Amino acid sequence: MVEHRRFGNLLPHLVLIAGVIVVAFPVYLAVIASTHDNSVIANGQMPLYPGQHALETYWHTIVSGTGRTTREPVGSMLLSSFIMAVGIAAGKIAISIISAYAIVFFSFPFRMTAFWAIFITLMLPVEVRIFPTYKITSDLHMLDSYSGLILPLIASATATLLFRQFFMTVPKELVEASKMDGAGPIRFFFDTLLPLSVTNIAALFVILFIYGWNQYLWPLLITTRDDMQTIVIGIKKIIDVKDALTEWSVAMATAVLAMLPPVAVVVLLQRLFVKGLIETEK
Amino acid sequence: MENRAIFSGRLLACLLVFPQLAISLIFFYWPAAQAVWQSFLVQDAFGLSTEFVWFENYVNLLKTPEYYHAIGTTFLFSLLVVFFSLAIGLLLAVMANRNIAGVQIYRTFLIVPYAVAPAVASVLFIFMFQPGLGMIARALQRNGIDWNPVLNGTHAMILIVIVSVWNQISYNFLFFLAGLQSIPKSVIEAAAIDGARPARRFWTIVFPLLSPTTFFLIVINITYAFFSTLGIIDTATEGGPNGSTSTLVYKVFLDGKAGSDLGGSAAQSVILMIIVIALTAIQFRYVEKKVHY
């Protein structure tokens, strides 16, 4: 960095290459395995280069399902995961942005109480209060429904806090100017505040989409119907076959499909994602 | 709260906070209260009658050796995961903070595990570590190690630690990188002019300046090891063999799923809630401190 060293840059390259290999190798292996025939994998002789069976494996995995088990083809799981992830991201952003708007720009009784009531929900992840939450969702007849999958998971305050933080930095003059132009609170929200928040909304969307897509415990409990299963849950059933050999090529194809959307989102929107992540947590 | 130019219109404001408050009330406060209430009840075997028993569930819990075993497992597991994921994350961040060719490409690859669901990460590693067919399992066997996470508790623990660390490296990497980039270059240059070698510069200047980030990440990583790894454990080992990978959270899940002992499961949940609240409180105290300086 400061002094001039002849081999100074060799070490970082070596360490980073080692890091990338460790990080990428399991993913690479999954892609390779999904292109080979089951028998090649099962005897432990899988080569490190792609095989001939990619189209066949993915067709079986996504569309037809493979006759051996009763499970749904992965195509329908992808759809469920997608609905859940988008639902959680959109729902959380929608309720958070309006409540943050109310808390920052309005004066009403119990404003601080409302803020703290929302703030406290930061404290307990759903894993801790899982069975009572399950019971209530079941009492409300929301098992096996998308609302049951989505609503309980959007009850947390991170997004509200983030929007609140951001709204506090909006200059007062902007609100006054807008008022002088005769804009009411609703017009101010749509014409001024929303356009200003676009970057924040996009960054949050990336993070929440991944959060929703990667959920495990909640969909495991809530969905008993096969056709509503998410792919993250489905994959366990594929490797967990009693008294039979796991179809590893199908399992790995499923893993690849389960990774593809969130990894693509993160890699494509890297900048937004990093910005959003660091702001959310600090 | 800071003074804003404020709108009037109480009804509108209430309508705006209503959705979030309603959802928090139904899916957060009500179940949390239920958990506390249930932890004081004992239900008979047929679920026909319940009795209020004060702290009996807690007392019983503290009498069972399995509970202490789960505490020990959680402690060991969290320690290993937090240590390795932070150490590796920091090492990679320090290297990626240098001004070298292709650094953006390295960074892109290194953030991939963040996007992979814990349960899916678990499946990737099960495949590599599957006795008989997995690449790494076979390599271990060739070298005389009889690798079998299904039967051997230590092997099972090693497996879930590896998956959890792999899954968490990118998160720590990103935060350490952000922390490193916020350290003023002039401080480091001054030390270099004074003749401090890179290793010395790192331990006496950079590392102490990173301590707020490190502390924040320790809290986050403990929470991660406690809760987010449930998918990993359930897919890879299901808490076995013989409870050797059953952490506190996994035990709540198992006991509650079996459904026979609701009170006991609720008591475990409440103890966990207290642990999380303590962790969160530490985190906020520290965040507040940082805002001041």
Side-chain angles (χ1 to χ4, degrees), chain A residues 1-3 5 8-9 11-13 15-17 19-20 22-23 25-27 29-30 33 41-46 48 95-96 98-99 101-109 111-112 114 116-125 127-129 131-133 136-137 140 142 151-152 154-157 160 164 167-168 170 172 175-176 179 184-186 188 207 210 214 216-217 220-221 232 235-236 239-240 248 252 255 258-259 262-263 266-267 270 273-274 277-278 281-282, chain B residues 1-10 12-17 19-21 23-24 26-32 34-35 38 91-92 95-101 103-104 106-120 123-128 130 132-133 135-136 138 166 169 171 173-175 178 185 188-189 192 196-198 201 213 216 220 227-228 230-231 234-235 238 249 252-253 256-257 265 269 272-273 276-277 280-281 283-284 287 290:
Chain A
M1 188 184 297
V2 185
E3 67 263 79
R5 276 171 294 150
N9 284 340
L11 182 69
H13 278 297
V15 173
L16 289 170
I17 288 169
V20 168
V22 167
V23 158
F25 188 67
V27 178
L29 216 54
I41 302 171
N43 66 23
Q45 304 292 345
M46 191 184 87
L48 277 174
I95 65 169
S96 299
I98 56 175
S99 64
Y101 180 51
I103 285 167
V104 176
F105 291 100
F106 284 80
S107 127
F108 59 98
R111 188 172 71 135
M112 287 315 280
W116 283 107
I118 292 168
F119 184 79
I120 286 173
T121 59
L122 263 187
M123 286 204 177
L124 295 177
E127 281 85 359
V128 191
R129 51 198 160 81
F131 289 105
T133 315
I136 283 158
T137 313
L140 293 170
M142 281 191 190
L151 287 180
I154 65 179
S156 100
T160 316
R164 175 181 169 263
F167 289 165
M168 307 265 273
V170 172
K172 230 185 336 198
V175 191
E176 274 155 12
K179 267 177 143 175
I186 293 178
F188 172 71
I207 291 167
I210 292 165
N214 290 353
Y216 184 79
L217 185 54
L220 181 68
L221 291 175
V232 174
I235 196 169
K236 191 199 171 184
I239 61 163
D240 215 16
W248 281 107
M252 290 298 116
M259 286 186 282
V263 170
V266 159
V267 170
Q270 221 178 123
F273 155 75
V274 172
L277 193 65
I278 286 162
E281 302 297 347
K282 284 207 169 163
Chain B
M1 207 178 281
E2 193 191 332
N3 192 16
R4 302 260 89 198
I6 283 180
F7 288 110
S8 52
R10 288 183 175 180
L12 182 62
C14 292
L15 284 177
L16 290 173
V17 283
Q20 179 146 26
L21 282 181
I23 284 176
S24 306
I26 298 171
F27 294 110
F28 182 89
Y29 285 98
W30 183 239
Q34 284 272 308
Q38 219 149 50
L91 175 70
L92 293 171
M95 296 303 165
N97 193 36
R98 303 275 185 91
N99 211 351
I100 55 175
V103 78
Q104 204 51 50
Y106 290 127
R107 287 181 194 165
T108 304
F109 270 103
L110 289 172
I111 61 172
V112 164
Y114 174 88
V116 178
V120 175
V123 171
L124 298 182
F125 281 82
I126 294 171
F127 179 59
M128 294 194 294
Q130 186 78 5
L133 73 87
M135 194 157 284
I136 294 180
R138 284 169 64 91
W166 183 84
I169 290 174
Y171 190 90
F173 168 75
L174 283 176
F175 276 90
K185 285 236 163 38
I188 296 162
E189 274 159 18
R197 307 285 311 150
R201 288 205 297 265
T213 311
F216 162 81
I220 293 287
F227 301 105
S228 312
L230 193 140
D234 194 45
T235 345
E238 296 192 331
V249 179
V252 173
F253 169 64
K257 202 171 71 166
S265 172
S269 297
L272 270 179
M273 285 189 205
V276 191
I277 289 171
T280 321
Q283 193 182 326
F284 277 110
V287 168
K290 213 180 84 184

Side-chain angles (χ1 to χ4, degrees), chain A residues 38-261:
Chain A
N38 256 326
S39 54
V40 180
I41 302 171
N43 66 23
Q45 304 292 345
M46 191 184 87
L48 277 174
Y49 50 82
Q52 307 283 317
H53 296 266
L55 280 177
E56 190 188 320
T57 311
Y58 282 94
W59 176 262
H60 277 313
T61 311
I62 301 172
V63 185
S64 63
T66 52
R68 287 214 210 150
T69 49
T70 51
R71 58 163 212 280
E72 290 285 309
V74 168
S76 82
M77 296 183 195
L78 281 170
L79 184 67
S80 303
S81 285
F82 197 76
I83 295 174
M84 179 180 176
V86 172
I88 287 176
K92 217 164 172 162
I93 289 172
I95 65 169
S96 299
I97 199 167
I98 56 175
S99 64
Y101 180 51
I103 285 167
V104 176
F105 291 100
F106 284 80
S107 127
F108 59 98
F110 305 114
R111 188 172 71 135
M112 287 315 280
T113 318
F115 174 67
W116 283 107
I118 292 168
F119 184 79
I120 286 173
T121 59
L122 263 187
M123 286 204 177
L124 295 177
V126 72
E127 281 85 359
V128 191
R129 51 198 160 81
I130 190 78
F131 289 105
T133 315
Y134 172 81
K135 173 114 198 328
I136 283 158
T137 313
S138 141
D139 290 347
L140 293 170
H141 305 290
M142 281 191 190
L143 296 184
D144 281 325
S145 73
Y146 285 110
S147 51
L149 265 179
I150 293 166
L151 287 180
L153 290 179
I154 65 179
S156 100
T158 33
T160 316
L161 287 184
L162 196 71
F163 282 124
R164 175 181 169 263
Q165 215 85 9
F166 172 66
F167 289 165
M168 307 265 273
T169 65
V170 172
K172 230 185 336 198
E173 290 74 22
L174 211 59
V175 191
E176 274 155 12
S178 182
K179 267 177 143 175
M180 230 172 309
D181 285 348
I186 293 178
R187 238 184 72 194
F188 172 71
F189 180 76
F190 283 107
D191 288 358
T192 314
L193 208 55
L194 214 51
L196 284 175
S197 321
V198 168
T199 328
N200 284 286
I201 292 175
L204 257 183
F205 192 90
V206 174
I207 291 167
L208 293 173
F209 177 85
I210 292 165
Y211 165 84
W213 185 279
N214 290 353
Q215 280 299 312
Y216 184 79
L217 185 54
W218 190 246
L220 181 68
L221 291 175
I222 291 299
T223 56
T224 50
R225 257 170 45 196
D226 277 346
D227 62 322
M228 274 200 67
Q229 212 159 67
T230 64
I231 190 164
V232 174
I233 304 301
I235 196 169
K236 191 199 171 184
K237 297 200 174 155
I238 293 173
I239 61 163
D240 215 16
V241 279
K242 304 275 183 267
D243 309 320
L245 288 173
T246 303
E247 297 168 276
W248 281 107
S249 59
V250 172
M252 290 298 116
T254 310
V256 171
L257 292 168
M259 286 186 282
L260 216 51

Side-chain angles (χ1 to χ4, degrees), chain B residues 141-269:
Chain B
Q141 267 153 354
R142 271 199 299 279
N143 289 300
I145 299 165
D146 188 18
W147 171 265
N148 194 341
V150 181
L151 302 173
N152 184 320
T154 313
H155 292 175
M157 177 60 93
I158 293 172
L159 180 61
I160 59 169
V161 169
I162 291 177
V163 183
S164 310
V165 170
W166 183 84
N167 207 205
Q168 185 68 359
I169 290 174
S170 15
Y171 190 90
N172 296 339
F173 168 75
L174 283 176
F175 276 90
F176 275 132
L177 192 61
L180 285 167
Q181 290 182 341
S182 69
I183 295 176
K185 285 236 163 38
S186 55
V187 180
I188 296 162
E189 274 159 18
I193 290 165
D194 287 347
R197 307 285 311 150
R200 200 181 139 82
R201 288 205 297 265
F202 179 78
W203 290 114
T204 55
I205 299 168
V206 177
F207 193 68
L209 283 174
L210 268 185
S211 66
T213 311
T214 312
F215 189 79
F216 162 81
L217 283 176
I218 289 175
V219 176
I220 293 287
N221 280 278
I222 294 174
T223 325
Y224 163 81
F226 268 54
F227 301 105
S228 312
T229 51
L230 193 140
I232 294 175
I233 297 172
D234 194 45
T235 345
T237 66
E238 296 192 331
N242 226 337
S244 58
T245 53
S246 189
T247 59
L248 288 169
V249 179
Y250 198 69
K251 209 165 134 44
V252 173
F253 169 64
L254 276 187
D255 293 2
K257 202 171 71 166
S260 52
D261 181 18
L262 280 177
S265 172
Q268 292 183 42
S269 297

